[in-house]
Amino acid sequence: MSSTSPGIRPAVAADRAERWHRLRQAALTLFEQRGFAAVSIDDIAAAAGVSRRTFFNHFDTKAGALFDPAPGEAAQVAELLAREAGTDPWAALTRALKAYLTAEFRTVSARRRILAGQPELNRFLLLANMHFEESILHWLDDRGVIGLRARAMSSMALVCVRESFTAWDCEGGPAQLFEILDEMFALAAAGTAAIRTAPAARTEPAADRVTPKAGQTRSRILLTAERLFAEHGVFAISNRQISEAAGQGNNAAVGYHFGTKADLLRAIVEHHTTQMERIRERLLRSRGDSTDLHDWVACVVLPFTEHLSSLGTPSWYARLAAQIMTEPQLRELAAAGLHDAPRFHAVVEGLHRCLPALPPELRRRRDDMARTLLVHTCAHRERTLPADAGAARAAWSATAAELIDAVEGLYLAPATEHQNNHLT
């Protein structure tokens, strides 16, 4: 099993972010020059020096290139909020939003110029700032503003930003924007007075708390996306379809909770990786000193099969994992996720210690073969699982035993001279 060096994930994330920003800047430039309607997705991809398919790895629609949140944008807002130590939550919130608009003024002003010539796009403005709301709600929660009060304050602040943006003539520069914004915030301040002076005690029922509800929605979206990706293919499903299938009235729910489709897929992978890391931890405690190849192969196979068995029936992750392995761009994403899987790397190192006579390059190729055998065998088993829970668990147990034997045999198979000459 090939391991991923610790430096891989930051490099992959940086490459993705760089491509995202290149596409965003190309879109802004073209939209400003030609108008939104006159620019095609192919135009944007060509200007950014990437393929049409790469565009869709980052955005679901052409409008997304103009309105989707940038990678880390919600975290940027959260950081700005965290810096605000003032006692008045409304004043602190408005300062943080103004700091964000200052930092992102290039994008803000370009977006305003584009909308001036394409007013029908104004409908996207409501969605454009929705991804901020969860950061704001968490911050307010920490300050004792919860439930309906928190949602009211957050909504009022974001409406002020949106309406100021709409009223602003971008030729007036940032000074005019912030003058309008200050006036809007001052008008809204009276409406937040009751919220700001309310007791901080958490007297609202648990069902009205923001965080549990948001967590339930996120979990529903993750499970729905996993199923749709497995059944229809990652590239055939849009964020809108996932939101609808998850029963969300807002079709932008995926973007609100996760960001882009790539961010959603990354969240799915990280969720399952975390669960499998717990199983690896248990196996390493019991077998970490072993010098037996069979034990280390079990440490490779069992985290995947035991985790899949724990998902019940039906499940979908094995079939999604097979897609991820087959598609280079998806495989890159999954490999990046293993950076935060230290026990996976410990298992790989233990396995390799049992194979001192196997040349490194040949060992790497057999790692790839073992991974392919494991993932695709499990994907086939998942498709054919019996509906009965007990029978499904027995099927996974039998599959694990067969895979351990097969993978061990794969590593121990002799390497012929013809094979080495052909493959090196």
Side-chain angles (χ1 to χ4, degrees):
M1 306 289 286
S2 297
S3 62
T4 305
S5 64
I8 291 294
R9 187 177 189 186
V12 171
D15 286 346
R16 285 191 56 80
E18 190 276 333
R19 286 193 297 272
W20 191 98
H21 284 289
R22 202 174 345 136
L23 282 161
R24 163 58 60 82
Q25 291 307 311
L28 289 177
T29 300
L30 290 172
F31 292 157
E32 285 185 284
Q33 291 173 347
R34 306 181 195 172
F36 183 85
V39 176
S40 70
I41 287 171
D42 288 333
D43 292 335
I44 298 170
V50 301
S51 67
R52 178 183 176 89
R53 183 168 184 171
T54 298
F55 177 94
F56 283 111
N57 285 340
H58 293 80
F59 303 102
D60 287 338
T61 64
K62 185 171 70 169
L66 179 59
F67 292 102
D68 278 3
E73 198 165 290
Q76 178 187 358
V77 173
E79 183 180 347
L80 290 170
L81 287 165
R83 294 176 188 171
E84 292 292 341
T87 56
D88 184 340
W90 177 253
L93 174 56
T94 58
R95 282 195 301 268
L97 290 173
K98 288 169 68 176
Y100 167 79
L101 291 170
T102 299
E104 296 298 319
F105 189 74
R106 155 74 179 108
T107 299
V108 169
S109 57
R111 188 179 284 167
R112 187 68 192 94
R113 280 190 290 271
I114 293 162
L115 288 176
Q118 203 83 25
E120 63 270 23
L121 293 175
N122 280 312
R123 69 183 186 276
F124 291 105
L125 285 177
L126 181 61
L127 305 178
N129 293 329
M130 278 187 61
H131 59 287
F132 294 161
E133 190 168 14
E134 192 161 4
S135 296
I136 293 172
L137 291 174
H138 280 296
W139 177 78
L140 288 170
D141 184 86
D142 289 340
R143 300 173 73 105
V145 182
I146 61 174
L148 291 176
R149 290 184 174 88
R151 284 193 283 274
M153 184 177 288
S154 173
S155 297
M156 290 171 73
L158 293 176
V159 165
C160 286
V161 171
R162 187 179 78 244
E163 294 304 318
S164 298
F165 176 82
T166 303
W168 171 51
D169 178 357
C170 59
E171 299 305 321
Q176 186 191 75
L177 173 62
F178 290 119
E179 182 181 347
I180 298 170
L181 194 58
D182 284 340
E183 183 178 355
M184 289 291 293
F185 282 151
L187 290 170
T192 67
I195 297 172
R196 287 179 283 157
T197 56
R202 299 175 181 272
T203 56
E204 298 187 51
D208 195 38
R209 294 289 304 279
V210 174
T211 302
K213 183 176 180 180
Q216 291 168 10
T217 301
R218 284 173 61 89
S219 297
R220 190 180 309 118
I221 290 171
L222 279 176
L223 188 61
T224 301
E226 187 176 306
R227 174 176 61 82
L228 292 177
F229 288 158
E231 291 178 340
H232 304 287
V234 172
F235 298 112
I237 296 297
S238 69
N239 283 0
R240 176 182 291 272
Q241 289 171 306
I242 295 167
S243 296
E244 291 174 350
Q248 300 304 299
N250 178 3
N251 288 332
V254 171
Y256 170 60
H257 285 281
F258 295 97
T260 66
K261 184 193 291 186
D263 295 326
L264 172 60
L265 190 60
R266 188 177 295 107
I268 293 172
V269 171
E270 289 177 352
H271 168 73
H272 290 282
T273 297
T274 299
Q275 303 303 314
M276 287 185 279
E277 278 285 90
R278 292 173 183 164
I279 300 173
R280 290 187 189 107
E281 182 178 21
R282 169 173 54 80
L283 292 171
L284 285 168
R285 282 200 304 267
S286 64
R287 309 184 190 194
D289 296 330
S290 176
T291 57
D292 185 345
L293 177 62
H294 188 86
D295 285 341
W296 285 105
V297 171
C299 289
V300 169
V301 172
L302 291 176
F304 198 46
T305 55
E306 286 189 12
H307 174 59
L308 291 170
S309 180
S310 74
L311 300 177
T313 181
S315 64
W316 300 277
Y317 186 63
R319 282 168 283 178
L320 177 56
Q323 282 187 63
I324 290 171
M325 172 174 287
T326 304
E327 286 289 338
Q329 292 162 325
L330 301 181
R331 189 166 63 242
E332 179 185 84
L333 182 150
L338 289 176
H339 174 64
D340 287 336
R343 294 171 189 85
F344 169 82
H345 299 293
V347 168
V348 171
E349 290 170 5
L351 175 71
H352 287 176
R353 285 196 299 270
C354 297
L355 302 166
L358 208 59
E361 183 60 26
L362 181 56
R363 189 175 63 199
R364 184 192 64 76
R365 290 196 294 270
R366 293 200 178 178
D367 284 343
D368 291 340
M369 294 176 194
R371 185 170 59 249
T372 300
L373 176 62
L374 171 62
V375 172
H376 285 277
T377 298
C378 287
H380 174 71
R381 168 56 66 202
E382 188 178 63
R383 277 193 298 270
T384 59
L385 274 179
D388 177 74
R393 285 193 296 271
W396 279 123
S397 180
T399 299
E402 293 170 2
L403 277 168
I404 291 170
D405 290 341
V407 172
E408 183 180 16
L410 189 156
Y411 278 110
L412 294 176
T416 65
E417 190 66 24
H418 171 74
Q419 179 189 34
N420 287 332
N421 290 338
H422 176 68
L423 293 175
T424 54

